[in-house]
């Protein structure tokens, strides 16, 4: 059975790293590549990290109904193209969406069967430290992201699953356990 897994949580919480770990452990899962109007960061590749779209193209695709969900986050637009999820599900794969909270709500409304996981920081101060040490955002962009993060943290109780990213290995174990349970897979990979 294939499912849609929505992984959300504030910027800097380590969603990306946790998801990479999850995808390594469960190779049948596939990450949906989002579309965004934000500028590529150094090292980001179009079609691999995001589909980088001009704002007019993003709007055109919104009008065409191409998005399963979309949201404005910190001045840029982000969205999941229906085609990204559809073709993976049609191939019998489960899909992981790494998206912010407004998008997670839209997916919850459109697909009640989606599995929604909120990734939380062990303490809020960690977000600033992570965003600063990542070095990908300006000081102003970090402040904007932290402001959104506060609202996102306030929404965490909406989510049926919550994983505290206190330690990558432990948090990945917990996330893997949630996914395995939802997919009806045995809880141990048998590797250990
Ligand atoms: P970043 O600019 O750091 O790559 O992403 C900013 C925020 O947008 C992150 O919280 C990320 O999870 C979220 N995001 C990425 N892709 C999507 C998407 O397709 N839809 C929504 N709603 N949020 C997204």
């Amino acid at each position: 059975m294939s499912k849609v897994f929505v992984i959300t949580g504030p910027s800097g919480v380590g969603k990306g790293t946790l998801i990479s770990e999850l995808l390594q452990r469960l190779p049948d899962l596939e990450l949906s590549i989002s579309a965004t109007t934000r500028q590529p960061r150094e090292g980001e590749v179009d079609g691999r990290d995001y589909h980088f779209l001009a704002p007019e193209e993003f709007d055109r695709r919104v009008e065409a109904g191409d998005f399963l969900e979309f949201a404005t986050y910190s001045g840029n637009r982000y969205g999941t193209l229906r085609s990204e999820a559809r073709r993976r599900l049609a191939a019998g794969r489960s899909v992981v969406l790494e998206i912010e909270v407004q998008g997670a709500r839209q997916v919850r409304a459109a697909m009640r069967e989606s599995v929604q996981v909120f990734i939380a920081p062990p303490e809020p101060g960690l977000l600033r430290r992570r965003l600063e040490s990542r070095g990908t955002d300006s000081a102003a962009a970090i402040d904007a992201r932290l402001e959104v993060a506060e609202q996102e943290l306030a929404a965490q109780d909406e989510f049926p699953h919550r994983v505290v990213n206190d330690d990558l290995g432990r948090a990945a174990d917990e996330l893997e356990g949630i996914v395995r349970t939802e997919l009806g897979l045995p809880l141990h990979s048998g590797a250990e």
Side-chain angles (χ1 to χ4, degrees), residues 29-66:
L29 289 181
E30 285 193 19
L31 184 65
S32 163
I33 312 296
S34 294
T36 184
T37 61
R38 108 157 141 60
Q39 291 297 310
R41 296 185 180 124
E42 211 178 309
E44 284 185 331
V45 175
D46 186 35
R48 183 193 69 187
D49 299 291
Y50 277 107
H51 300 292
F52 292 101
L53 303 184
E56 306 72 45
E57 176 66 2
F58 197 102
D59 289 344
R60 191 191 65 72
R61 301 202 67 167
V62 169
E63 287 297 310
D66 288 351

Side-chain angles (χ1 to χ4, degrees), residues 4 9 14 20 54 58 61 63 70 91 123 131 151 168 175 177 183:
V4 171
S20 306
F58 197 102
R61 301 202 67 167
E63 287 297 310
F70 60 93
E123 42 111 0
L131 286 172
Q151 297 162 22
L168 176 62
L175 185 57
L183 292 178

Side-chain angles (χ1 to χ4, degrees), residues 7-11 15 32-36 38 41 44 50 67 69-73 76 78-81 98-104 106 134 137 145 152:
I7 315 283
T8 193
S11 187
K15 299 192 288 286
S32 163
I33 312 296
S34 294
T36 184
R38 108 157 141 60
R41 296 185 180 124
E44 284 185 331
Y50 277 107
F67 286 104
E69 61 75 31
F70 60 93
T72 299
Y73 173 93
N76 294 301
Y78 295 81
T80 304
L81 291 163
E98 184 205 325
I99 62 180
E100 50 69 74
V101 165
Q102 304 165 71
Q106 293 170 41
R134 189 162 81 178
D137 300 285
R145 279 168 185 258
E152 296 197 307

